[in-house]
Amino acid sequence: MQVPAYVEYEKATSVDHALTLLARFGPEARVLAGGHSLIPMMKLRLAQPETLIDINGLTGLSYIEVTDGELRIGAMTRHAQLLDSAVAGQRFAILHDAERVIADPVVRLWGTVGGSLCQADPSEDLSAAFAALKATMVIQNLTGTRTVHAREFHTGPYETVVAPGELLTEIRIAIVPGGGSAYQKVGRRVGDWPIGAAGAAIWLDNGSDSGTIADAGIGLTAVGAEHFSAAAAEDFLRGAPATQETFARAGQIAAEHCRPVSDQRGPADYKRHLAGELTARALGAALARATGAGPLPPVQRSPGQRSPGSPRPRRGGS
Ligand SMILES: Cc1cc2nc3c(=O)[nH]c(=O)nc-3n(C[C@H](O)[C@H](O)[C@H](O)COP(=O)(O)OP(=O)(O)OC[C@H]3O[C@@H](n4cnc5c(N)ncnc54)[C@H](O)[C@@H]3O)c2cc1C
């Protein structure tokens, strides 16, 4: 049986109280949100905090609301709450797409949005969704509040810009008209971490009637994408016609910039293939939502032509 090392426990009653406790106990203190990542890591002794500061009592950080033209999500919002939120799903369908395929109902009931982002697992789904939406993270400490772009939030695997003594308190997404978003994930089985996944958000020039892309966001996870995003593919999309050919090329560019590694979930070349294909599919689904149209027809390929980034067929296979 795996047992965590001895740890002090404090229960915070407000954000100020949590920040005061974090300041008092120093860098060896860790915040406990849903505990779905932290507790298993403590059992494996991969994390050995001296003090746990339980923030489950901070119900004031559990909300989803529209304020000043932004969707605002409190850091203690549970996955299940985000999945149930009509306002989140109507504004940004990508969030429901992603939440539907994160873990299982037990994890979703207690795991939090803030905990997922702060855990910064390189295969984490919401980090890719928020990168696609170009979200802003709100971080608080005893002296005030600062905001950080989603793409500057993660500094490496399991690392973020949230410093000792700080809390992630909110995630903000600007609501821009003429947009649509979607998330596509491939896992080994239902509820598993992704082998690869892509999120896309697309905004059209002059609202949904135009066929020209004003801006696009692409989020990728589990495929070694820098900052969970695909900046070169986004540059390519800006000003381009919103067609399946454009999306296929954007997928290729996204795949070329990934650095996937082979592991128990799959070989690197397969993950690269997923990055390209899922990016193209997510863009197509995002466009369909932006315009209210059905899915685009598939890209026409000549016989034997491979889909973007697809691995070469194995010789002698069936
Ligand atoms: C069986 C299983 C399957 C899973 N499958 C998936 C999956 O398919 N996709 C996916 O994306 N995730 C998956 N997860 C991860 C799951 O979504 C996260 O474990 C969980 O949501 C993390 O949130 P938490 O509230 O439990 O964080 P905790 O475990 O409590 O905390 C995680 C880390 O974040 C820090 N932290 C938490 N909140 C804050 C805050 N507000 N400010 C600063 N630091 C904070 C903690 O100190 C800790 O270091 C899975 C987990 C399990 C157990």
Side-chain angles (χ1 to χ4, degrees):
M1 188 174 66
Q2 296 158 341
V3 182
Y6 176 81
V7 64
E8 296 283 344
Y9 174 87
E10 298 279 344
K11 194 163 175 56
T13 52
S14 67
V15 170
D16 277 351
H17 186 214
L19 293 172
T20 304
L21 290 169
L22 281 169
R24 187 192 306 161
F25 289 102
E28 298 310 319
R30 290 284 277 276
V31 163
L32 175 69
H36 275 300
S37 294
L38 184 54
I39 300 295
M41 287 184 73
M42 288 171 63
K43 286 182 170 181
L44 293 168
R45 309 278 171 124
L46 295 171
Q48 278 189 255
E50 288 173 5
T51 311
L52 279 184
I53 297 168
D54 186 344
I55 59 169
N56 281 279
L58 308 191
T59 49
L61 288 185
S62 178
Y63 57 86
I64 301 167
E65 63 188 25
V66 173
T67 305
D68 294 338
E70 294 175 323
L71 183 74
R72 296 185 175 183
I73 303 169
M76 281 303 290
T77 302
R78 312 279 172 186
H79 290 299
Q81 285 175 279
L82 185 52
L83 183 53
D84 282 349
S85 164
V87 67
Q90 280 158 12
R91 301 289 185 177
F92 301 108
I94 184 175
L95 295 175
H96 278 189
D97 290 350
E99 283 293 2
R100 242 178 244 117
V101 292
I102 288 178
D104 51 54
V106 175
V107 173
R108 290 200 295 263
L109 268 179
W110 208 241
T112 63
V113 172
S116 287
L117 295 172
C118 291
Q119 179 63 18
D121 188 298
S123 300
E124 204 269 310
D125 286 292
L126 284 184
S127 298
F130 286 124
L133 293 172
K134 305 185 182 191
T136 303
M137 313 303 182
V138 182
I139 298 167
Q140 203 172 325
N141 58 34
L142 274 180
T143 59
T145 294
R146 64 194 171 104
T147 55
V148 175
H149 195 284
R151 288 150 192 230
E152 290 157 10
F153 184 76
H154 298 98
T155 49
Y158 307 100
E159 286 178 9
T160 72
V161 294
V162 181
E166 293 191 319
L167 274 181
L168 172 68
T169 53
E170 188 178 75
I171 299 96
R172 297 179 180 168
I173 311 161
I175 298 169
V176 180
S181 62
Y183 194 74
Q184 302 265 328
K185 168 173 170 175
V186 170
R188 292 172 301 178
R189 52 188 174 262
V190 173
D192 200 0
W193 293 84
I195 302 170
I202 204 163
W203 295 272
L204 298 174
D205 259 339
N206 305 317
S208 58
D209 289 340
S210 141
T212 305
I213 300 165
D215 198 9
I218 296 172
L220 291 164
T221 191
V223 293
E226 205 175 347
H227 302 301
F228 291 94
S229 55
E234 292 168 355
D235 290 344
F236 166 78
L237 287 166
R238 231 165 272 125
T243 64
Q244 203 60 271
E245 285 73 19
T246 300
F247 297 157
R249 179 67 195 129
Q252 261 173 347
I253 297 169
E256 282 160 14
H257 284 78
C258 288
R259 298 283 174 271
V261 291
S262 299
D263 60 15
Q264 78 278 12
R265 294 202 183 97
D269 62 345
Y270 176 55
K271 293 183 184 185
R272 189 184 300 284
H273 163 67
L274 285 182
E277 189 64 36
L278 296 178
T279 296
R281 289 187 197 181
L283 283 164
L287 177 69
R289 283 172 172 162
T291 58
L296 292 177
V299 184
Q300 295 299 315
R301 293 196 179 90
S302 52
Q305 188 185 351
R306 291 181 292 135
S307 62
S310 68
R312 294 180 188 286
R314 288 173 199 274
R315 286 186 190 186
S318 57

